[in-house]
Amino acid sequence: MTSTVLAGLRLSAWTLVLILLPGVSALGQVSFVKSTIDVNAGDLKMVGDIDLDGTVDVVLGGSPGENLNWYHYPSWTRTVLAVPVTEYTTDGELGDVDGDGDLDIVTPDGASGTNLQWFENPVRTAGGPGGDPFQPAQWTQHVLGAIGSWGKDIELADFDKNGLLDVATRTNGGAMIFFQTAPGTWLKVALSIVKLGYEGMGSGDVDDDGDADLVFCGSWHQNPGGSAARTGAAWKEFFINVSGVVSNTFKALVADVDQDGVADVLFTSSEATAAVIWCEPVAGDPMDVWVTRTIAPSLEKAHTLLAGDMDLDGDVDVVVGQMHTSLAKELIIFMNQDGFGLSWSKVVIDSGSGVHNGRLVDIGADGDLDVVGANWTGHPPLHYWENLIPQDHLLLDIGPVVGGEQTLLRTTNCTAGVPAFLVATFYPLLSPYYFAPLGVTLELGLPFFLLGMPAVGQNGVADLAVQVPAGLPPATFWVQTLQAGRTSNVEVVQIP
């Protein structure tokens, strides 16, 4: 493994070329191909590696006849797990509820009784041999609790930090968390919320204190942390400065849109028409004033709201899907043109179908993000939109950066025996720069060094260990790997 220390550009490596290029970044291009997984539909769409074979599978649930199913990649073999009493709706999540290392399914069923349930994946069993997830009889259905009405949204997190997964959910009139106080033992705690809305909920660490907070209709709720989280009155509501902008029927998502290390919040209208917006704390303090930024001024029935780097250019793009009950029925990527969420371009990857509660995930483990989704119950089929970023694209992965510790930068899918070059910059801009010696167009602005590494092994792995000295001021830089005629995704690195 090659190693280096970033300190005044003091570098040592197999090959080192210091170079200043006047290049600036190119806007990434995306294209997708649409295929059908099954002629089936349902409100629940979930994605995760059900059988632990290293690739992502799909879970779909809906009304009787649609049932609860998982689809195995790549054949999309369907395994029917259960038939609902009423309907699996309107949200579901995958998570390791019992802590045995596999993904279980959490979902509501209908509006009455003990309608919040979870299904135990048999792949791994604590203290015993694993089972076969293709055998429905080996899945165990557990009652989790009574929501009190239709469960509109589900968020999973260890809200009280006791090492066990908890479940947050809501109805059109209230929100609650089911805390797993001991394995299989649940405590229902109601939350008091002013800006609740009728549907919608997001979760994420809004205040960067290490635990999961909740987002509702133009407000976020601060997790008090630890066992105090089990007291509903201890959760404090802070208004995001978007009065009159967020629809009462909404989708909410926590993501760092401008990559400044501070969580932002995105909103769309799930059932009506409203702007697609993202909100950020003006001074980096989510308990203070927020500013609202517009991605699109008006969009109807945008019941899918996702965020990720769709073109592998190192920034956060936004994926929005309209339901089939909308006029346009579009699936859209809003491309983050400047990397900071201030300039967006609209790319329509499908129209005329619609999607409800879509999911963003890397299907096939090829290094890019794809979209999976269907319309709500009774409106098939289940679709998969495959991202067609070239399969020979280099794949760069960077571990967390901690001052004084080594960070591994690993590039795979290289041509073995051919040098791979690492390039970094503090200045991402917006025009292409063709670098003739390697025959590539750089997607970074003003890169200040290229570092050569040999690519070895069957998968063409080029490793570099970087040590950032402790005590450096906070900084953000962009990194990309190049080989002759090929480039990797762009990764953003933050020195905290």
Side-chain angles (χ1 to χ4, degrees), residues 11 13-21 421-423 435 437-438 447-453:
L11 305 165
W14 173 69
T15 300
L16 174 63
V17 180
L18 288 177
I19 189 168
L20 180 66
L21 300 175
F421 295 89
L422 195 74
V423 59
F435 184 51
L438 290 179
F448 55 81
F449 68 81
L450 288 173
L451 185 63
M453 305 163 287

Side-chain angles (χ1 to χ4, degrees), residues 32-54:
F32 288 75
V33 62
K34 176 182 174 183
S35 60
T36 298
I37 295 175
D38 191 15
V39 185
N40 196 9
D43 288 353
L44 310 185
K45 296 90 175 174
M46 294 163 274
V47 287
D49 187 359
I50 295 295
D51 59 340
L52 301 181
D53 67 348

Side-chain angles (χ1 to χ4, degrees), residues 115-136:
N115 58 337
L116 185 58
Q117 305 168 0
W118 70 279
F119 293 82
E120 182 180 352
N121 190 335
V123 170
R124 288 183 177 169
T125 305
D132 183 358
F134 294 92
Q135 299 299 320

